[in-house]
């Protein structure tokens, strides 16, 4: 009889476990540099990080900009492969443009060459939701989460958290198991006041309080013990100085090149027969910047094949800004920026995670953001796309062994 009860117990726990899909909330604090957690301003974030898994930093993909990296996190691919090579870029062949500020453009499915985790999840019967994430508003039905919000820069913290909690309170058959949440604050204040300002410090502590409020609201729901929280940022931030500026156009004035971007990186397209000459001229003048021919970009950038990358790519040294003859409006007003070489620690973001899927009191070194997609697939027990750049073996050890 006793034995029978044990079998019955095992049967039900196994059965319950099999039907027990995990919950994951992926939270992004835009531009939250890896070391902002060390400023003594974030008791709530630090408590979670200390109790769960904490990485030294999260390495972004190149260029260390917002859209390329949120898409890398959610697809497990480098920008060269997922197609969102910048916050802004041009398809010169079809004469169309992608820009983060163009709602119609960011909803066009054809720009996005990777499969977002919400798409993989939904194909596997997992309901997903997004309270903001680049790429979450794609107009094709099967490419966006079941529930998503149209991006609104000024949406209040309370409203966002209310939205998340309302999703978690839906009946089980309608409830999302994967949810994204995004806050722009640390990026905005980092640009406007710099990464060492009192203003950024206030933004950091505000996000800490917002997290405490979010936890409090989640913990009121019946799901409190099943939820995994993953905190990430897309990149870091470094101080810039309007005196540290290089006019690239001036150096190659006579060649009639076209330019794209200013700041940490610049694309240059010389006339077809002048690529070598322009490259050599820039190379000779290299001072606080490095110039590459597209196809000779070092492999670690993974940024040398996409057709919308120009023939020459110039990358500024940390803290320096590139410009053309036209002075960019933002330059005199900005105190911080990102977009530089993704291997520089100032460009690194945060990664910490807490919940039943993760080890406890566990610290590790730098993780790569392209590995988060296969990690999510592992947590949900589903197969990742085979064409991703991310590697489960570089991150899997942070999960609790079953
Ligand atoms: P960056 O120029 O790389 O600093 O981009 C940061 C900006 O991206 C934020 O200040 C937001 O205005 C914008 N942004 C972030 N997420 C979205 C989104 N889902 N849709 C539109 N814009 C966004
Ligand atoms: Zn960003
Ligand atoms: Zn930014």
């Amino acid at each position: 009889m006793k034995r029978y009860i044990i079998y019955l117990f095992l049967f039900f726990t196994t059965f319950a476990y099999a039907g027990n899909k995990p919950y994951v909330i992926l939270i992004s604090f835009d531009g939250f540099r890896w070391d902002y957690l060390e400023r003594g301003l974030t008791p709530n974030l630090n408590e979670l990080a200390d109790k769960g898994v904490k990485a030294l930093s999260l390495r972004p993909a190149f260029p260390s900009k917002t859209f390329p990296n949120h898409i890398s996190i959610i697809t497990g691919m480098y920008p060269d492969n997922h197609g969102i090579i910048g916050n802004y870029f041009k398809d010169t062949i079809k004469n169309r443009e992608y820009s983060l500020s163009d709602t119609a453009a960011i909803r066009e499915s054809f720009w996005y060459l990777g499969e977002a985790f919400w798409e993989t999840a939904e194909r596997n019967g997992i309901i997903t939701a997004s309270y903001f994430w680049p790429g979450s508003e794609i107009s094709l039905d099967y490419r966006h989460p079941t529930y998503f919000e149209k991006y609104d820069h000024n949406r209040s913290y309370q409203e966002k958290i209310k939205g998340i909690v309302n999703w978690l309170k839906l009946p089980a058959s309608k409830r999302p198991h994967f949810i994204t949440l995004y806050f722009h604050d640390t990026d905005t204040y980092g640009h406007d006041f710099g990464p060492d300002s009192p203003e950024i410090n206030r933004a950091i502590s505000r996000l800490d309080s917002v997290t405490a409020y979010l936890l409090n609201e989640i913990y009121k729901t019946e799901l409190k013990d099943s939820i995994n929280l993953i905190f990430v940022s897309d990149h870091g931030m470094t101080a810039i100085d309007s005196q540290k500026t290089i006019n690239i156009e001036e150096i190659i004035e006579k060649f009639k090149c076209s330019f794209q971007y200013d700041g940490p990186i610049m694309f240059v397209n010389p006339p077809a027969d002048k690529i070598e000459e322009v490259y050599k001229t820039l190379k000779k003048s290299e001072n606080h910047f490095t110039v590459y021919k597209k196809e000779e970009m070092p492999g670690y950038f993974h940024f040398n094949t996409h057709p919308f990358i120009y023939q020459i790519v110039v990358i500024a040294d940390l803290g320096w800004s590139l410009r053309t003859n036209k002075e960019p409006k933002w330059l005199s007003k900005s105190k911080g920026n990102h977009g530089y070489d993704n291997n520089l620690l100032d460009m690194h973001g945060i990664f910490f995670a807490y919940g039943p899927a993760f080890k406890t009191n566990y610290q590790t070194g730098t993780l790569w953001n392209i590995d988060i997609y296969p990690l999510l697939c592992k947590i949900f027990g589903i197969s990742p796309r085979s064409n991703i750049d991310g590697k489960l073996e570089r991150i899997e050890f942070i999960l609790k062994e079953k």
Side-chain angles (χ1 to χ4, degrees):
M1 181 65 188
K2 240 185 190 165
R3 221 158 167 189
Y4 172 75
I5 290 173
I6 289 171
Y7 281 139
L8 209 64
F9 172 78
L10 284 177
F11 173 78
F12 277 113
T13 46
T14 317
F15 186 73
Y17 186 76
N20 230 354
K21 265 188 236 145
Y23 289 88
V24 174
I25 306 181
L26 177 64
I27 301 154
S28 166
F29 295 148
D30 198 324
F32 198 109
R33 200 168 72 186
W34 68 279
D35 60 340
Y36 289 173
L37 288 173
E38 318 296 323
R39 293 186 175 184
L41 301 168
T42 50
N44 296 298
L45 298 179
N46 289 77
E47 193 187 331
L48 278 179
D50 292 344
K51 284 201 296 195
V53 170
K54 181 183 184 235
L56 182 65
S57 71
L58 186 65
R59 194 190 83 136
F62 181 80
S64 45
K65 290 278 187 194
T66 298
F67 268 58
N69 276 289
H70 278 92
I71 308 289
S72 284
I73 292 168
I74 211 68
T75 62
M77 290 170 132
Y78 289 115
D80 212 17
N81 295 330
H82 67 56
I84 308 301
I85 56 163
N87 290 335
Y88 166 87
F89 52 89
K90 275 189 230 159
D91 174 352
T92 42
I93 302 149
K94 295 208 166 123
N95 198 24
R96 54 194 187 188
E97 287 178 15
Y98 181 95
S99 167
L100 60 73
S101 55
D102 179 347
T103 309
I106 62 173
R107 291 184 166 187
E108 291 288 2
S109 174
F110 55 74
W111 300 112
Y112 302 87
L113 310 178
E115 182 174 281
F117 179 73
W118 50 72
E119 210 179 324
T120 313
E122 299 259 356
R123 265 199 300 108
N124 284 277
I126 297 158
I127 301 175
T128 65
S130 168
Y131 217 118
F132 305 157
W133 199 275
S136 60
E137 297 175 43
I138 298 184
S139 43
L140 275 184
D141 271 351
Y142 69 91
R143 299 205 68 186
H144 62 68
T146 296
Y147 310 106
F148 69 93
E149 287 286 320
K150 179 178 171 340
Y151 187 70
D152 169 8
H153 198 69
N154 299 315
R155 187 72 51 89
S156 72
Y157 303 125
Q158 286 86 344
E159 226 174 313
K160 286 190 199 175
I161 291 171
K162 200 166 87 192
I164 301 286
V165 172
N166 285 343
W167 283 330
L168 293 175
K169 285 184 180 160
L170 284 170
S173 63
K174 299 209 162 108
R175 192 186 303 148
H177 279 250
F178 174 74
I179 301 176
T180 71
L181 176 60
Y182 166 88
F183 296 94
H184 70 81
D185 311 55
T186 32
D187 182 72
T188 305
Y189 286 89
H191 283 298
D192 291 353
F193 300 98
D196 303 308
S197 59
E199 288 84 355
I200 188 74
N201 285 345
R202 281 200 287 275
I204 295 167
S205 357
R206 244 187 339 265
L207 288 180
D208 189 67
S209 311
V210 169
T211 304
Y213 175 55
L214 169 71
L215 291 182
N216 204 26
E217 293 300 300
I218 289 176
Y219 287 177
K220 284 189 209 156
T221 71
E222 61 187 66
L223 302 170
K224 66 177 189 330
D225 299 323
S226 334
I227 292 178
N228 294 287
L229 298 164
I230 305 178
F231 291 84
V232 296
S233 53
D234 50 349
H235 51 72
M237 186 67 68
T238 201
I240 58 165
D241 175 346
S242 57
Q243 301 303 307
K244 292 183 174 174
T245 302
I246 302 145
N247 184 341
I248 294 292
E249 187 172 10
E250 206 172 39
I251 304 171
I252 45 175
E253 193 96 65
K254 62 176 181 187
F255 293 104
K256 304 274 170 284
C257 300
S258 48
F259 299 88
Q260 187 166 293
Y261 305 133
D262 38 39
I265 76 165
M266 185 176 275
F267 285 179
V268 182
N269 251 356
D273 57 338
K274 295 281 188 279
I275 296 172
E276 197 57 38
E277 239 182 301
V278 168
Y279 170 74
K280 283 191 176 140
T281 310
L282 285 171
K283 198 81 200 152
K284 264 193 286 177
S285 317
E286 260 183 2
N287 187 18
H288 301 300
F289 68 84
T290 311
V291 57
Y292 300 102
K293 275 189 265 177
K294 172 182 175 178
E295 68 275 13
E296 289 174 7
M297 290 274 292
Y300 56 78
F301 285 122
H302 294 273
F303 198 74
N304 51 16
T305 64
H306 198 281
F308 307 155
I309 302 172
Y310 283 22
Q311 291 309 314
I312 289 174
V313 177
V314 190
I315 307 178
D317 287 358
L318 201 66
W320 286 76
S321 304
L322 308 172
R323 54 166 287 194
T324 56
N325 288 339
K326 201 169 123 211
E327 195 187 338
K329 277 191 232 119
W330 56 267
L331 193 58
S332 60
K333 288 183 267 166
S334 288
K335 298 282 189 293
N337 211 353
H338 54 90
Y340 299 93
D341 183 337
N342 55 326
N343 289 302
L344 298 169
L345 205 45
D346 266 12
M347 293 300 103
H348 285 209
I350 47 165
F351 178 98
F352 61 91
Y354 176 77
F358 293 97
K359 284 187 176 156
T360 49
N361 305 106
Y362 189 82
Q363 294 188 14
T364 187
T366 295
L367 297 175
W368 293 13
N369 72 359
I370 51 166
D371 298 336
I372 293 173
Y373 168 92
L375 180 80
L376 291 170
C377 291
K378 178 75 184 178
I379 294 173
F380 282 94
I382 59 181
S383 302
R385 297 289 293 195
S386 58
N387 60 347
I388 61 166
D389 300 302
K391 285 196 171 19
L392 184 61
E393 75 230 33
R394 281 193 297 238
I395 197 166
E396 192 179 12
F397 54 83
I398 68 172
L399 295 177
K400 202 178 264 173
E401 278 155 35
K402 283 198 180 132

